[in-house]
């Protein structure tokens, strides 16, 4: 690849590219980032920029494509979204003796290492994850370098979990985290092509990840070795043991965390300063939710379209700060199992719920509160902009007010434990006055967008900078007075003072007045009608003005960098404040939503009872048309009534009822009030939801196959503490097969000693209602229907007993099937229900006879053929028939 005849800058580029073969190198040349060779061809194709060429040696040109440096962020985002890495190569220092500017790669941007605010979602974490797969289990670490969050876990086989279940649990955790990028070992087989490995390659290397959608980065195998990864952790935290981080006895967790640090060191080394803590956690501390359940319950996105609007998070989220929004999203994905921890959250929500005026005041104080978490980490990384520092200061300025309001809220609360719950106890809500004062003293009130524009540092902050600015100001005033002074001194009334970038400042005199020019004027340039002169004193002031601009820029930059360094020393306190504000914001949001929507505090227990009175679906009730009312329902599940078989028509609300029970349970264990008149929730370890199915034709799986795979997962992994909501099990096959499978599933859930768990089982197979008489813990319920003559109304009420009809034909009529089809269906149903085992006799539609008149078709016959009889009312049909009869005579 090297070429001895290449220009110095070409050789410089080739050396940098050699070190970053798997990335697109953005090579800084003046005001552009240029790409070359194959990188240029990719950039031109993916970014829709012009592909040109550059002469790099005698008779040799190479492809080149560039983008303006000030617009690079958007272009980088597009490449990252398409699975590419981007190595950003910046100019460093001064030119060498040969005129070559030093350059080096300052960072490699990947999906998990993005830090630019414009590329990040405010209320969503941008996780980078690393996984270590081993026969002994799975290690999984994740970090968000924009917030400083860094955590790891080990999921190992045990008495309650086999090796396959450990992998399944790791995949569930990956589904929850939804990382922007997952780092895996390359197994000694490097991926050398540009961009992330395609899904089929990931599946070949890691079969368990078949179908995994997020970006995957394959990293050197040796970095996953236990000793290498452990040393990376010890070196980063400057410790001799990992006991203080909870992973000394969890080697897989430590390996995953060490790999993640090494990946950041190789791609975004400045981000390492933000990772000051490592939390080791157990997935067993949280409710297990597999991917189908998350999708079915639509926690963060809808099943159709995968849109955020219409999800539980969309309805529930009334947070006012970005870090509060991120925290609420994490909580919805990790419902708690520890009753004490849940009660603490509920108490915090309850305190805010009971005081509307204090809650309103606190929410007003948080409105517009900046993203303290990400701003702090940008300070630590040294990339925070002047206006971001002002936003940081404004947020901290409000923190004192927030703390005082929290104090009033707690003091007025009638809950004795109010002041013991974080952050209502005041922890973390320190105003950081030193930071506020430092920013206020250093930064002007209205700074420019970037440091390069100048004018960032406040006057009085640096005596040296003030002296320079004073001297520059004095010189500019001298130049401004010069024209008037020289006109008076020389008598040259047409004399002018001017400036251009080539000659600098000058005195211009017309040629007609050339004889009046003083002896101390030095001729600099001759024009057609005038001469331009300089004086030594003018040049002295010019040099001071021009040199001062460079010195001012240099000094301002140094002062600003020093300020960032000082502020970074307060990062721990600032992040503690951000964490406290995030928790407070979530509690206030949940309380506000509860007050607006009529939610109640649930009662928690450690038994197997689930009792909900007047329960409602938290999303559906908010999306109803204006004036429509949601019909609440009750449910009582316990060891004595473990399985409820629910029958009723389509569109009657069975699926909504199933989901609302699951969502109320989930919300209770998140620590939220719930949409009900009252709720008593015996804590559940897992929720399994199989409501509806989505064909996976591309994966070679039909609806029925997907259903059976999901049912197998449920029956194999549910426990006696689980909550199951199952809808239409067995519907994707023949009637007898479907009934047999559904019947067997209910028996298994009822009888197996490991299960006997709380289950809502909705079905159209009315034969299953017979199980109530055969199995002691089965109860029948149905969706009540009001019927008056042929008019049928779905009441949406769940009542005891089985349904006697499915009303499928009525639903078909509501859907708009032609009347003839509906009427014929009713006739066939009557024949089938009569007990006659013979199939209904098909009706044949006679083709109309063709009548030829003078060798053609009569126009009446032609019109008759084209009539859409099915869409005509009886009176329309009679009128049309009369018209055709008259025309046929």
């Amino acid at each position: 690849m090297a070429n001895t005849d290449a220009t110095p800058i070409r050789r410089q580029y080739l050396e940098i590219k050699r070190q970053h073969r798997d990335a697109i190198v953005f090579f800084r040349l003046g005001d552009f980032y240029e790409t070359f060779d194959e990188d240029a061809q990719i950039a031109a194709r993916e970014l829709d920029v012009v592909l040109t060429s550059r002469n790099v040696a005698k008779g040799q040109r190479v492809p080149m494509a560039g983008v303006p440096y000030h617009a690079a962020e958007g272009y980088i985002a597009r490449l990252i979204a398409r699975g590419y890495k981007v190595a950003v190569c910046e100019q460093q220092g001064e030119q060498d003796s040969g005129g070559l500017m030093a350059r080096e790669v300052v960072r490699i941007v990947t999906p998990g290492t993005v830090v630019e605010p414009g590329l990040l979602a405010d209320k969503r974490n941008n996780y980078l994850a690393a996984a270590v797969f081993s026969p002994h289990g799975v290690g999984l670490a994740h970090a968000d370098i924009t917030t400083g969050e860094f955590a790891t876990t080990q999921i190992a086989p045990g008495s309650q979990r086999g090796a396959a279940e450990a992998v399944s649990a790791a995949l569930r955790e990956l589904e929850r985290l939804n990382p922007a990028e997952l780092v895996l070992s390359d197994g000694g087989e490097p991926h050398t092509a540009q961009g992330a490995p395609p899904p089929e390659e990931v599946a070949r290397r890691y079969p368990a990840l078949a179908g995994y959608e997020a970006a995957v980065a394959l990293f050197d195998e040796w970095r996953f070795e236990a000793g290498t990864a452990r040393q990376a952790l010890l070196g980063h935290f400057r410790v001799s043991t990992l006991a203080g981080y909870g992973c000394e006895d969890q080697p897989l967790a430590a390996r995953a965390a060490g790999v993640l640090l090494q990946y950041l060191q190789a791609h975004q080394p400045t981000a390492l300063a933000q990772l000051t803590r490592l939390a080791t956690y157990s997935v067993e501390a949280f409710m297990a939710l597999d991917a189908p359940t998350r999708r079915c319950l639509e926690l963060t996105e809808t099943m159709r379209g995968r849109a955020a609007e219409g999800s539980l998070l969309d309805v529930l989220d009334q947070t006012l700060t970005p870090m509060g929004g991120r925290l609420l999203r994490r909580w919805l994905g990790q419902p708690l199992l520890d009753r004490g921890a849940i009660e603490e959250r509920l108490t915090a929500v309850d305190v805010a719920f009971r005081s509307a005026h204090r809650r309103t005041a606190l929410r007003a104080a948080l409105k517009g509160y900046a993203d303290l978490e990400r701003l702090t980490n940008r300070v630590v990384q040294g990339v925070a902009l002047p206006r971001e520092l002002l936003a940081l200061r404004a947020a901290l300025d409000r923190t004192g007010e927030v703390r005082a309001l929290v104090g009033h809220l707690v003091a007025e609360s009638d809950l004795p434990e109010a002041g013991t719950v974080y952050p209502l106890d005041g922890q973390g809500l320190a105003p950081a006055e030193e930071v506020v004062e430092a920013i206020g003293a250093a930064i002007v009130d209205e700074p420019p967008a970037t440091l390069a524009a100048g004018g960032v540092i406040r006057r009085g902050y640096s005596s040296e900078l003030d002296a320079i600015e004073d001297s520059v100001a004095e010189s500019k005033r001298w130049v401004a007075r010069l024209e008037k002074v020289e006109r008076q001194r020389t008598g040259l009334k047409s004399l002018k003072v001017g400036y251009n970038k080539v000659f600098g400042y000058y005195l211009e005199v017309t040629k007609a007045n050339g004889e009046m020019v003083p002896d101390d004027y030095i001729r600099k340039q001759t024009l057609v009608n005038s001469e331009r002169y300089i004086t030594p004193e003018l040049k002295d002031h010019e040099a001071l003005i021009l040199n001062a601009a460079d010195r001012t820029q240099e000094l301002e930059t140094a002062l600003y960098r020093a300020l960032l360094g000082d502020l970074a020393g307060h990062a721990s306190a600032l992040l503690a404040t951000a964490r406290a504000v995030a928790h407070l914001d979530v509690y206030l949001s949940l309380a506000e939503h509860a007050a607006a929507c009529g939610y109640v505090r649930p009662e928690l227990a450690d038994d197997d009872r689930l009792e909900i009175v007047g329960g409602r679906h938290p999303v559906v009730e908010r999306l109803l048309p204006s004036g429509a009312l949601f019909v609440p329902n009750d449910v009582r599940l316990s060891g004595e009534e473990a399985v409820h078989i629910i029958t009723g028509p389509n569109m009657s609300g069975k699926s909504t009822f199933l989901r609302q029970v699951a969502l109320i349970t989930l919300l209770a264990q998140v620590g939220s009030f719930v949409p009900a008149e009252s709720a008593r929730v015996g804590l559940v370890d897992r929720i399994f939801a199989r409501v509806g199915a989505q064909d996976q034709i591309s994966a070679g799986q039909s609806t029925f196959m997907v259903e059976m795979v999901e049912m197998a997962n449920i029956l194999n992994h549910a426990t006696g503490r689980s909550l199951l909501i199952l809808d239409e099990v067995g519907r994707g096959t023949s009637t007898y097969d479907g009934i047999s499978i559904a019947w067997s599933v209910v028996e298994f859930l009822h009888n197996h000693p490991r299960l006997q768990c709380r289950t809502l089982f909705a079905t159209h197979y009315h034969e299953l209602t017979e199980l109530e008489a055969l199995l002691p813990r089965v109860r029948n319920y149905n969706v009540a229907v009001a019927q008056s003559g042929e008019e049928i109304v779905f009441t949406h009420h769940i009542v005891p007993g089985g349904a006697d009809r499915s009303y499928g034909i009525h639903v078909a009529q509501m859907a708009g099937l032609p009347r003839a089809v509906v009427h014929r269906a009713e006739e066939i149903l009557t024949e089938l229900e009569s007990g006659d085992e013979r199939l209904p006799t098909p009706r044949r539609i006679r083709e109309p006879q063709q009548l030829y008149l003078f060798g053609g078709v009569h126009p009446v016959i032609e019109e008759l053929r084209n009539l859409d009889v099915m869409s005509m009312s009886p009176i329309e049909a009679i009128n049309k028939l009369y018209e055709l009869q008259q025309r046929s005579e």
Side-chain angles (χ1 to χ4, degrees), residues 197-477:
E200 55 269 20
E201 182 178 346
V202 175
R204 176 180 64 81
R205 294 172 183 253
Y206 295 90
L209 293 176
Y212 185 70
E213 297 179 356
V216 168
L218 296 175
F219 205 34
D220 304 323
E221 181 184 30
W222 63 270
R223 297 182 185 271
F224 286 73
E225 295 173 358
T228 304
R230 176 182 172 83
Q231 191 55 47
L233 272 178
L234 295 174
H236 177 75
F237 290 113
R238 299 180 181 179
V239 293
S240 58
T241 175
L242 297 175
Y245 299 94
C247 57
E248 183 66 56
D249 58 348
Q250 298 192 44
L252 295 176
R255 284 173 63 187
V259 166
L260 196 148
L261 288 178
Q262 294 177 81
Y263 189 80
L264 286 175
Q265 179 64 52
H267 293 79
Q268 189 79 292
T270 56
L272 291 172
Q274 285 124 258
L275 305 184
T276 59
R277 304 173 51 198
L278 174 64
T280 300
Y281 68 100
S282 170
V283 295
E284 295 177 352
F286 306 100
M287 181 192 293
L289 299 166
D290 58 22
T293 299
R294 291 178 187 276
R295 288 194 296 270
C296 172
L297 297 182
E298 299 182 311
L299 299 183
T300 58
E301 60 183 25
T302 59
M303 292 179 70
R304 292 186 178 181
R306 304 188 67 172
E309 185 177 357
S311 67
L312 177 64
L313 178 62
D314 174 54
V315 168
L316 203 62
D317 185 8
Q318 296 191 37
T319 57
L320 297 165
T321 69
M323 52 268 194
R326 293 192 293 270
L327 181 62
L328 179 59
R329 175 183 286 270
R330 290 200 296 273
W331 280 10
L332 285 182
Q334 283 186 308
L336 300 176
L337 299 182
D338 181 82
R339 181 178 168 190
I342 301 171
E343 291 287 9
E344 283 190 5
R345 289 184 181 179
L346 287 171
T347 295
V349 175
D350 205 354
V351 171
F353 177 82
R354 295 179 182 220
S355 180
H357 72 288
R358 292 297 183 192
R359 184 176 71 248
T360 301
L362 271 166
R363 283 176 57 80
L366 290 183
K367 190 173 184 179
Y369 197 99
D371 195 339
L372 187 57
E373 204 169 34
R374 283 181 171 165
L375 286 177
T376 299
N377 283 289
R378 286 179 61 78
V379 167
V380 172
Q381 199 172 352
V383 297
L385 299 174
R387 292 177 183 175
E388 290 177 326
L389 292 190
L390 290 191
L392 177 66
R393 178 193 177 197
L396 294 174
D397 257 339
R398 292 192 192 182
T399 306
E401 178 190 358
V402 170
R403 183 171 186 170
L405 289 171
V406 168
H408 295 317
L409 176 68
V410 171
E412 295 172 6
S413 175
D414 55 359
L415 294 175
E417 66 272 31
T420 65
V421 178
Y422 172 84
L424 302 186
D425 57 4
Q427 288 188 50
L429 292 175
E433 295 175 355
E434 303 92 337
V435 174
V436 173
E437 292 173 0
I439 296 174
I443 308 299
V444 297
D445 292 337
E446 297 183 4
T450 64
L451 185 62
V456 170
I457 301 300
R458 186 185 294 276
R459 185 170 180 81
Y461 185 72
S462 167
S463 58
E464 182 181 359
L465 183 61
D466 290 348
I468 294 173
E469 291 178 346
D470 287 344
S471 63
V472 169
E474 178 55 36
S475 291
K476 287 183 176 180
R477 286 194 295 271

Side-chain angles (χ1 to χ4, degrees), residues 8-216:
I9 198 169
R10 173 65 174 174
R11 291 195 294 271
Q12 183 187 53
Y13 169 78
L14 292 177
E15 176 59 25
I16 290 171
K17 180 61 181 177
R18 184 185 62 79
Q19 301 170 28
H20 304 283
R21 298 179 187 275
D22 63 341
I24 294 176
V25 175
F26 268 35
F27 192 78
R28 182 71 177 269
L29 283 175
D31 290 339
F32 281 79
Y33 285 111
E34 301 289 358
T35 59
F36 300 100
D37 305 314
E38 183 186 357
D39 287 3
Q41 294 172 344
I42 294 173
R45 181 181 69 247
E46 300 289 357
L47 303 178
D48 194 24
V49 296
V50 176
L51 181 66
T52 61
S53 64
R54 181 185 179 96
N55 187 20
V56 296
K58 186 176 181 180
Q60 182 183 358
R61 301 187 71 85
V62 298
M64 181 178 77
V67 299
Y69 83 95
H70 59 80
E73 184 177 299
Y75 289 108
I76 290 174
R78 288 163 64 181
L79 289 172
I80 297 304
R82 289 166 171 80
Y84 296 98
K85 294 181 180 180
V86 178
V88 181
C89 181
E90 295 286 4
Q91 299 171 165
Q92 302 288 333
E94 302 294 331
Q95 295 181 350
D96 61 17
S97 57
L100 181 65
M101 180 76 74
R103 291 176 175 84
E104 65 176 323
V105 171
V106 295
R107 62 193 179 101
I108 302 172
V109 185
T110 68
T113 60
V114 170
V115 296
E116 289 79 3
L119 306 184
L120 298 166
D122 285 342
K123 292 189 174 184
R124 182 194 296 267
N125 283 100
N126 193 68
Y127 285 128
L128 171 69
V132 176
F133 291 91
S134 158
H136 306 293
V138 182
L140 184 60
H142 66 272
D144 183 342
I145 64 173
T146 69
T147 66
E149 182 182 350
F150 186 22
T152 189
T153 187
Q154 178 167 307
I155 306 169
S159 58
Q160 302 297 320
R161 178 193 290 133
E165 171 58 15
V167 173
S168 296
L171 296 179
R172 286 197 301 271
E173 185 65 358
L174 274 176
E175 174 78 14
R176 179 189 72 82
L177 292 170
N178 191 22
E181 185 177 10
L182 174 63
V183 182
L184 300 171
S185 170
D186 65 9
E189 181 189 346
H191 173 72
T192 57
Q194 290 273 26
E200 55 269 20
E201 182 178 346
V202 175
R204 176 180 64 81
R205 294 172 183 253
Y206 295 90
L209 293 176
Y212 185 70
E213 297 179 356
V216 168

Side-chain angles (χ1 to χ4, degrees), residues 718-734:
T719 73
R721 293 184 59 202
S722 300
L723 172 64
L724 278 57
I725 59 169
L726 308 174
D727 187 21
E728 307 294 356
V729 172
R731 69 176 176 177
T733 185
S734 69

